[in-house]
Amino acid sequence: MQDLAKQSRSITSLRDFLELLGDAGQAITWSERVMPEPDVRNIAVAASRDANGAPAIVFDNIAGYPGKRTAVGVHGSWDNIALLLGRPKGTTIRELFFEIAGRWGDAAAQISTVPEARAPVHECRIESGINLYDVLPVYRINEYDGGFYLGKASVASRDPEDLDNFGKQNVGIYRLQLQGPDSFTLMTIPSHDMGRQIMAAERTGLPLKIAVMLGNHPGLAVFAATPIGYEESEYSYASAMMGAPIRLTKSGNGIDILADSEIVIEAEMQLGERVLEGPFGEFPGSYSGVRKAPIFKVTAISHRKNPIFENIYIGRGWTEHDTLIGLHTSAPIYAQLRQNFPEVTAVNALYQHGLTGIISVKNRMAGFAKTVALRALSTPHGVMYLKNLIMVDADVDPFDLNQVMWALSTRTRADDIIVLPNMPAVPIDPSAVVPGKGHRLIIDATSYLPPDPVGEAHLVTPPTGPDIDELSKKIRAMQLGALQ
């Protein structure tokens, strides 16, 4: 852990991480002149085809935006995630999962405070004549989006009823649609922390101020998209996971923000007001509908000199959205399940934010895997997102779809499939008949235990474990050596 953290300690900002990625061949600068649309979108999509090794891309010659810079794909590959965690390129997804799971709650947070006057994010300040279109090189992320979206902003806010509680200070990634030079909408749902705060503000009439951070420490961007408890701090989790300090400062409207972010937009919700938002190309690979969303009025903007606007391509997978949040969706579900069921050995919720999840478990008794599946549906993330669950035995790697398909093919009986209708669901699921409600599907592909009828087949048990893992690595190293 100490050696891994040593590399992470040099990362205090997006710029640090881009430099580290560049040294490893995982970041490139695109200096050829590009149009905001469709060029930036097309290049991001082309890069995302390589989920294992896609580089971050910085555009510095965008038509219509002289002197502006945009970064995409910062978390766009497993190699980039590995480097963020201090691991080498080529680290497997399974290894990355256990790296994250092993660090979960393993270290104390290191939070330092920087005076506003010395915080890089406050190098430039705009308090009048605010025009987001002048500051940000915005573009439509997908062709038929209803407007310009900020797809990778980390939004910091305080609980309006408990302003001094650091733990209740939420940091989350929500889709923000620009509605004018100094206004935007924020789309969330009641189960999200921001949704709770919006409802509390409108119930009590208390103001809700937010700080929208763009171009952030890559560790925070991960946790802003991670389903943790309402009273748990994303800043603390990010610091603990990275094994390194997180530098905070105050925004002009009194919220804790990253001192080294590229841009921060300060805004206040207009209580009781709603405007039309959408459509937007969302992570299931479909456009969301048009809905009314709360609107926020911008009160000030701070940014670093020559800031980098970081955005994300999100749409039909595989995209940066999946590598950004996939493992950090899996790890908290794994940790929550193991509190009651230590027999759970791994959780793969990589696919579309967990709309399909695969859980490996050591069966304690007949039917045990189904019980674990039902518990997974009651986790904070599972309540809205876990739609299709595949349960496999501990000897099946849930990150290896060849093994998962073998389990489905050889261990599933028709009566091992459960459908739970009319359950709560994320409204943007394109299969939903009624937005916000849908089915839950549980497929038990685990082996049988008495009193189940086992049948006559005896399954082959190939050798597994660390020795086989090391032999696989040795074979791969010998193969690469032969190529050189």
Side-chain angles (χ1 to χ4, degrees):
M1 177 80 177
Q2 186 174 2
D3 291 340
L4 298 175
K6 184 177 180 181
Q7 181 174 344
S8 300
R9 283 197 183 94
S10 63
I11 302 172
T12 61
S13 66
L14 172 64
R15 298 186 187 196
D16 290 339
F17 189 47
L18 287 172
E19 183 178 350
L20 184 150
L21 292 177
D23 291 343
Q26 287 301 125
I28 60 174
T29 299
W30 195 287
S31 292
E32 181 181 338
R33 185 175 175 83
V34 296
M35 295 295 293
E37 298 180 37
D39 294 346
V40 174
R41 177 194 313 132
N42 289 349
I43 293 167
V45 169
S48 68
R49 290 183 174 180
D50 181 8
N52 289 324
I57 303 172
V58 178
F59 299 93
D60 62 2
N61 188 2
I62 307 170
Y65 296 109
K68 304 291 186 183
R69 296 186 292 170
T70 292
V72 298
V74 174
H75 297 81
S77 66
W78 298 120
D79 280 347
N80 286 12
I81 299 297
L83 292 168
L84 175 61
L85 295 171
R87 297 297 299 270
K89 293 167 60 174
T91 302
T92 67
I93 300 174
R94 180 181 176 84
E95 290 171 324
L96 291 174
F97 169 77
F98 283 109
E99 179 68 41
I100 293 170
R103 296 189 193 190
W104 205 262
D106 182 54
Q110 304 172 59
I111 307 293
S112 61
T113 302
V114 179
E116 294 175 54
R118 297 210 305 269
V121 71
H122 288 310
E123 287 175 340
C124 304
R125 180 84 174 162
I126 304 170
E127 295 182 339
S128 61
I130 293 169
N131 190 338
L132 294 170
Y133 303 111
D134 285 343
V135 177
L136 306 175
V138 291
Y139 56 92
R140 289 178 300 172
I141 295 174
N142 279 291
E143 182 178 6
Y144 298 113
D145 285 350
F148 298 134
Y149 277 87
L150 312 182
K152 204 178 179 183
S154 292
V155 181
S157 59
R158 291 184 178 273
D159 186 314
E161 297 181 288
D162 196 1
L163 292 174
D164 296 326
N165 190 321
F166 183 80
K168 289 184 180 179
Q169 182 172 234
N170 174 57
V171 183
I173 293 181
Y174 307 98
R175 73 189 208 202
L176 310 178
Q177 181 182 352
L178 301 192
Q179 298 288 348
D182 62 351
S183 64
F184 58 85
T185 46
L186 184 152
M187 178 58 72
T188 185
I189 56 178
S191 64
H192 289 159
D193 292 353
M194 176 60 77
R196 291 178 59 171
Q197 294 183 358
I198 288 173
M199 290 189 295
E202 295 199 314
R203 182 180 67 250
T204 61
L206 295 170
L208 179 59
K209 299 178 180 181
I210 65 174
V212 178
M213 298 176 287
L214 294 161
N216 300 313
H217 187 296
L220 180 72
V222 167
F223 276 97
T226 297
I228 61 175
Y230 182 68
E231 296 192 24
E232 294 179 304
S233 167
E234 287 82 3
Y235 292 129
S236 297
Y237 262 92
S239 173
M241 183 66 67
M242 297 294 294
I246 290 286
R247 288 166 30 108
L248 299 182
T249 190
K250 291 291 185 184
S251 63
N253 59 356
I255 296 170
D256 291 317
I257 59 172
L258 292 173
D260 299 286
S261 285
E262 295 291 319
I263 304 163
V264 63
I265 302 167
E266 299 166 12
E268 183 170 348
M269 188 174 79
Q270 305 303 288
L271 295 177
E273 293 187 27
R274 298 289 189 276
V275 299
L276 292 175
E277 186 267 3
F280 178 63
E282 268 286 4
F283 67 84
S286 56
Y287 286 95
S288 66
V290 177
R291 298 180 177 89
K292 289 189 174 182
I295 190 163
F296 287 76
K297 185 80 169 179
V298 179
T299 55
I301 301 173
S302 290
H303 64 82
R304 299 182 68 161
K305 296 175 181 176
N306 194 21
I308 302 171
F309 170 55
E310 186 186 2
N311 213 350
I312 189 172
Y313 179 75
I314 179 173
R316 184 170 174 176
W318 196 263
T319 74
E320 183 185 356
H321 177 275
D322 301 303
T323 40
L324 170 66
I325 69 173
L327 289 174
H328 281 79
T329 300
S330 306
I333 298 171
Y334 174 75
Q336 290 151 12
L337 288 178
R338 284 181 60 85
Q339 290 175 4
N340 304 110
F341 301 118
E343 296 86 354
V344 172
T345 57
V347 173
N348 175 355
L350 302 181
Y351 304 105
Q352 287 63 60
H353 210 3
L355 289 183
T356 292
I358 308 164
I359 299 174
S360 60
V361 60
K362 296 177 182 177
N363 263 337
R364 187 193 306 172
M365 63 195 77
F368 180 68
K370 296 180 182 68
T371 300
V372 175
L374 293 172
R375 173 66 184 94
L377 297 184
S378 68
T379 60
H381 189 73
V383 167
M384 296 295 288
Y385 287 89
L386 291 180
K387 181 176 72 168
N388 305 316
L389 274 180
I390 303 171
M391 308 300 295
V392 297
D393 283 304
D395 65 353
V396 174
D397 180 0
F399 297 99
D400 184 339
L401 295 188
N402 287 330
Q403 294 189 38
V404 174
M405 292 305 295
W406 173 82
L408 284 172
S409 300
T410 63
R411 296 186 177 180
T412 303
R413 296 169 176 165
D415 57 2
D416 286 325
I417 299 173
I418 300 173
V419 178
L420 303 173
N422 296 317
M423 300 284 284
V426 62
I428 57 176
D429 177 4
S431 72
V433 177
V434 178
K437 290 186 72 176
H439 76 272
R440 299 303 174 94
L441 174 67
I442 298 171
I443 302 176
D444 186 352
T446 61
S447 53
Y448 306 103
L449 292 174
D452 288 330
V454 176
E456 298 181 357
H458 295 280
L459 297 176
V460 173
T461 304
T464 59
D467 291 344
I468 301 299
D469 293 341
E470 288 302 316
L471 286 172
S472 296
K473 291 179 183 179
K474 182 176 181 179
I475 292 168
R476 180 60 175 164
M478 292 172 67
Q479 181 184 9
L480 293 174
L483 290 174
Q484 294 174 357

